[in-house]
Amino acid sequence: MTFSARLQAAILAKKNPVLVGLDPRVGSIPDSLCDSGEADPETIAGAFQRFCEEVIDVVAPLVPAVKPQVAFFEQYGPSGMSALRNIVRYANRQGLLVILDGKRNDIGSTATAYAQGMIGPGESSPWGADAITVSPYLGDDSLSPFVETAQQRGGGVFVLVKTSNPGGAMLQDLIAEGKPVYRYVGDYVQSLAEKTRGAEPDRTRYGSVGAVVGATWPEQLRDLRAAMPNTWFLIPGFGAQGGAAKDVSPAFDADGLGAIVNNSRGILFAYRREPFASRFGLGHWQKAVEAATREMIEQLRAEIKIESPQK
Amino acid sequence: MTFSARLQAAILAKKNPVLVGLDPRVGSIPDSLCDSGEADPETIAGAFQRFCEEVIDVVAPLVPAVKPQVAFFEQYGPSGMSALRNIVRYANRQGLLVILDGKRNDIGSTATAYAQGMIGPGESSPWGADAITVSPYLGDDSLSPFVETAQQRGGGVFVLVKTSNPGGAMLQDLIAEGKPVYRYVGDYVQSLAEKTRGAEPDRTRYGSVGAVVGATWPEQLRDLRAAMPNTWFLIPGFGAQGGAAKDVSPAFDADGLGAIVNNSRGILFAYRREPFASRFGLGHWQKAVEAATREMIEQLRAEIKIESPQK
């Protein structure tokens, strides 16, 4: 079964497109897990693992997928990376799809090495992800090794197209022959998406190559949705970065499919902000995670209606 | 001391700008280190570590720096990454500068997490590199966290500008208002390079932010050298990818400084090709590494003359 078919099934099963970002940070995770004062990398990595697994326990019945951010684990050296591997496997066992956010990029056999390391659920790859994020600056022949490995293993790839940070404009919005650079990337990604829709009976409207598109630009989101009819969008920037449910609604088709919406800090660290802080207190941070997840699900359900697509 | 000053001192001491790429591969490293038939990730990671350390033993007296390719270690999971960490420390102890080639990229605190994990020699960061490579698609605010961390720790950053693969043209050569996209990146990198030249008495012509520029385009190399007078170039593509000493010579200034030239397979696996295979036999692969390194050094010395720069 293709990654796209698995993603669609997971969204239909949970009736929402929420992607919970696993971005643990010292100083933000509960003190009960990690006294940030004098922790060494091994201790921090262990605390990150416990924290993420306890988040997964809460969100696994609610959402289709999680997105661990590789940087926060790599920051703590080999023990951080071991924790990441364990978290990916734990999420898989709890029935969640896992999109590893590493924004990897390279060419030829080097790109293949990244892809083979990360893409492939369960024991089929060392890191065990269902899909990964990749960066496109090196061009088409840098993306194909990722796409090939993903195809072989029923995995997916999300390519950065239009990012939510202000500086993203520096390159992405340059206009070449009347078309912004990010649209060149988007058109190429759409061609890959069209080719990776899979075969019947599991063929889906969308392919297993998707695009990362920021939620801070609703108009561009609408244009890109029209220009990329077979491309899953991974939308960061919900909640903490300012995007709201109605901002992301242009990314969805009439069946409420076509995008997954990421929220990291707004869910993970909900226990630190109102109204959750007063409602649950610091000691019940998992209840805050659950309430914030349910709140985001309801906000999205008010804008989009998820239904099994007509073939 | 800035990274740029340390790099310049290392080049002057060794009187060559050779950067040995550490790209171990199963099936290419000597059979005596790894029987590729049935090796598990731990065994392969151990073999990679021994191989790279034995390469380092040979090249440490000859060249200024090495460049481990992160992908080939990440491919083997946590044990691969542990081997990488050990190799970086080993190279540091042998007096080599280490440029980790990971092409990382992200924004804000996520970019800072990558930078803090990787940049910082010795025990000042978990991975211990003197410098790393980064990818610029996310724009200026994605580069600044890497630059800031590098500045704080006396480290360096090499930003992808013009890459050596054919597909690099897809984005990099798009023309916006008469200027190719890679020149926008190059101009921004030059501005960072100018700002990171350090203070007297260690101030150098070049800054601690450099550029990755492929050797397959000598004319572009000449133009970029002129446009980026304070930017160290990291030039891949020598040897196996087709670049020759005279192709890279436009990257150097009158003092023979301004660039480092990478060769990975051409040195690491010299024992598998003529004339080295006949001369040394499979059993003396380290002698082939040494001979291939000395050959590349001589080829570059025929084109450039390295001298202490006039202030």
Side-chain angles (χ1 to χ4, degrees), chain B residues 29-220:
Chain B
I29 66 172
D31 288 344
S32 56
L33 291 175
C34 180
D35 179 355
S36 58
E38 46 197 308
D40 57 29
E42 286 72 22
T43 307
I44 293 169
F48 280 10
Q49 184 175 330
R50 273 181 58 202
F51 175 68
C52 291
E53 290 181 355
E54 293 185 18
V55 169
I56 288 166
D57 289 339
V58 174
V59 302
L62 303 176
V63 305
V66 291
K67 179 176 77 65
Q69 169 51 254
V70 180
F72 294 119
F73 299 93
E74 201 173 283
Q75 182 177 10
Y76 295 102
S79 38
M81 293 302 273
S82 292
L84 175 63
R85 195 255 308 264
N86 295 338
I87 290 163
V88 173
R89 291 190 174 170
Y90 189 82
N92 265 164
R93 287 200 300 274
Q94 305 303 313
L96 288 163
L97 292 174
V98 179
I99 301 170
L100 260 189
D101 192 357
K103 299 183 177 63
R104 295 302 192 248
N105 61 139
D106 215 297
I107 58 173
S109 59
T110 313
T112 301
Y114 276 130
Q116 291 187 345
M118 286 192 160
I119 305 172
E123 302 296 317
S124 69
S125 74
W127 303 107
D130 296 285
I132 64 171
T133 59
V134 303
S135 188
Y137 189 70
L138 288 147
D140 45 13
D141 58 2
S142 76
L143 299 176
S144 37
F146 288 100
V147 175
E148 279 160 26
T149 301
Q151 287 286 91
Q152 287 159 12
R153 298 182 177 180
V157 173
F158 288 89
V159 182
L160 296 184
V161 171
K162 177 65 189 146
T163 62
S164 54
N165 59 312
M170 181 179 131
L171 260 80
Q172 298 163 30
D173 291 357
L174 289 175
I175 308 289
E177 296 188 19
K179 192 165 97 169
V181 167
Y182 76 85
R183 285 294 301 272
Y184 286 87
V185 181
D187 289 349
Y188 184 66
V189 170
Q190 162 62 21
S191 75
L192 296 173
E194 210 290 322
K195 283 182 202 144
T196 55
R197 294 171 61 197
E200 297 295 352
D202 295 323
R203 187 168 169 85
T204 46
R205 186 176 302 156
Y206 299 97
S208 290
V209 180
V212 177
V213 183
T216 38
W217 317 103
E219 272 175 55
Q220 288 167 340

Side-chain angles (χ1 to χ4, degrees), chain A residues 48-97:
Chain A
F48 280 11
Q49 185 175 330
R50 272 181 58 202
F51 175 68
C52 291
E53 289 181 356
E54 293 185 18
V55 169
I56 288 165
D57 288 339
V58 174
V59 303
L62 303 175
V63 304
V66 291
K67 178 176 78 63
Q69 171 49 257
V70 180
F72 294 119
F73 299 92
E74 201 173 283
Q75 182 177 9
Y76 295 102
S79 38
M81 293 302 273
S82 291
L84 174 64
R85 196 255 309 262
N86 295 339
I87 290 164
V88 173
R89 290 189 176 171
Y90 188 82
N92 265 163
R93 285 199 302 272
Q94 305 304 312
L96 288 163
L97 292 174

Side-chain angles (χ1 to χ4, degrees), chain B residues 256-310:
Chain B
L257 295 172
I260 46 178
V261 184
N262 180 72
N263 191 345
S264 302
R265 280 169 282 173
I267 287 175
L268 297 189
F269 309 131
Y271 78 99
R272 298 168 68 94
R273 65 180 168 91
E274 297 302 340
F276 307 110
S278 303
R279 236 162 94 195
F280 302 113
L282 290 176
H284 296 88
W285 66 269
Q286 281 181 291
K287 287 194 189 302
V289 167
E290 181 179 344
T293 306
R294 289 187 185 279
E295 181 185 80
M296 179 173 167
I297 290 171
E298 291 313 315
Q299 287 170 352
L300 287 168
R301 281 181 182 157
E303 297 290 332
I304 58 162
K305 219 141 234 75
I306 294 178
E307 283 170 45
S308 286
Q310 305 298 314

Side-chain angles (χ1 to χ4, degrees), chain A residues 86-301:
Chain A
N86 295 339
I87 290 164
V88 173
R89 290 189 176 171
Y90 188 82
N92 265 163
R93 285 199 302 272
Q94 305 304 312
L96 288 163
L97 292 174
V98 179
I99 301 171
L100 260 189
D101 193 358
K103 299 184 176 63
R104 297 300 192 249
N105 62 139
D106 215 299
I107 59 172
S109 58
T110 313
T112 300
Y114 276 130
Q116 292 187 343
M118 287 194 160
I119 305 171
E123 302 296 317
S124 69
S125 74
W127 304 106
D130 295 286
I132 63 171
T133 59
V134 303
S135 189
Y137 189 71
L138 288 146
D140 46 12
D141 58 2
S142 76
L143 299 177
S144 37
F146 288 100
V147 176
E148 280 160 25
T149 300
Q151 286 287 91
Q152 286 158 14
R153 296 181 179 181
V157 173
F158 288 89
V159 182
L160 297 183
V161 171
K162 176 66 189 145
T163 63
S164 54
N165 59 313
M170 181 178 130
L171 259 81
Q172 298 163 28
D173 291 357
L174 289 174
I175 309 288
E177 297 188 17
K179 193 164 97 170
V181 167
Y182 76 84
R183 286 294 302 272
Y184 286 87
V185 181
D187 289 348
Y188 185 66
V189 170
Q190 162 61 22
S191 76
L192 295 173
E194 211 291 321
K195 283 181 202 144
T196 54
R197 294 170 61 195
E200 296 298 350
D202 295 324
R203 187 168 169 86
T204 46
R205 185 177 303 157
Y206 299 97
S208 290
V209 179
V212 177
V213 183
T216 40
W217 317 102
E219 272 176 56
Q220 287 167 339
L221 206 51
R222 193 181 310 272
D223 292 348
L224 284 172
R225 176 74 293 156
M228 302 172 74
N230 305 112
T231 308
W232 284 106
F233 288 171
L234 189 172
I235 306 180
F238 189 91
Q241 287 182 57
K246 74 169 167 13
D247 296 330
V248 302
S249 63
F252 294 88
D253 64 25
D255 296 316
L257 295 172
I260 45 178
V261 183
N262 181 70
N263 191 346
S264 302
R265 281 168 282 173
I267 287 175
L268 297 189
F269 311 130
Y271 79 100
R272 299 168 68 94
R273 64 180 168 91
E274 297 303 341
F276 308 110
S278 305
R279 236 162 93 194
F280 302 113
L282 290 176
H284 297 88
W285 65 270
Q286 280 181 292
K287 286 194 190 302
V289 167
E290 180 178 346
T293 305
R294 289 187 185 279
E295 182 185 79
M296 179 172 167
I297 290 171
E298 292 313 316
Q299 287 170 351
L300 287 168
R301 281 183 182 156

